[in-house]
Amino acid sequence: MSEHDTHRMFERFSSGYYLGELYVEPHDGDRAVIQRADHEHVNEQLYADGEGVERLDAPLVMKLGQGHIPVSGDDGVPSGTLAIPRSLASDDLPGKKNVLLADADRAERILRWEGWRPFVNA
């Protein structure tokens, strides 16, 4: 997937979210993951503010169904795929799903509420 295609994975949906469509599948891991290059690119394009040295490995925050989940990068996941722990998977997976991606401010609030702190929880 090219950088241009990755950026188009998500489009502004509301004041706090971007909307995208990803192939969502359950996996045996304990955290939600997308392809590392996609993760870094989305992080850079949508979360970075262009000031100083910025992390590109901070979790993205996606809303799938009714819950928010932190999403990390993983080299073993195909581009355009969100792999979620089986414990979070619904019966209609795998399949294409609309996914909301929290913008930078909302993601930071959600992550802090969950106990994640930048530069501590890498």
Side-chain angles (χ1 to χ4, degrees), residues 47-116:
Y47 284 10
D49 62 12
E51 296 180 15
V53 177
E54 297 180 298
R55 295 182 64 157
L56 298 180
D57 63 342
L60 302 173
V61 175
M62 294 187 185
K63 185 173 182 184
L64 182 65
Q66 298 302 314
H68 289 90
I69 52 176
V71 179
S72 300
D74 187 302
D75 289 327
V77 179
S79 183
T81 299
L82 170 63
I84 62 172
R86 290 191 189 282
S87 62
L88 301 176
S90 59
D91 293 338
D92 61 348
L93 295 179
K96 287 263 190 188
K97 298 286 178 189
N98 286 330
V99 176
L100 292 172
L101 172 67
D103 70 10
D105 292 337
R106 186 169 304 242
E108 183 178 354
R109 285 194 306 273
I110 292 167
L111 289 170
R112 285 187 189 279
W113 187 68
E114 293 290 327
W116 186 88

Side-chain angles (χ1 to χ4, degrees), residues 27 31-39 71-79 83:
H27 77 122
R31 60 193 172 107
V33 293
I34 63 173
Q35 206 271 335
R36 187 174 317 279
D38 289 351
H39 181 275
V71 179
S72 300
D74 187 302
D75 289 327
V77 179
S79 183

Side-chain angles (χ1 to χ4, degrees), residues 7 10-11 18 41-48 101-104:
H7 181 64
F10 293 95
E11 295 180 12
Y18 297 89
H41 186 72
V42 169
N43 215 317
E44 179 179 36
Q45 292 293 314
L46 303 180
Y47 284 10
L101 172 67
D103 70 10

Side-chain angles (χ1 to χ4, degrees), residues 4-20:
H4 183 69
D5 290 338
T6 302
H7 181 64
R8 293 189 317 163
M9 286 172 64
F10 293 95
E11 295 180 12
R12 181 57 84 172
F13 175 72
S14 68
S15 63
Y17 291 96
Y18 297 89
L19 175 65

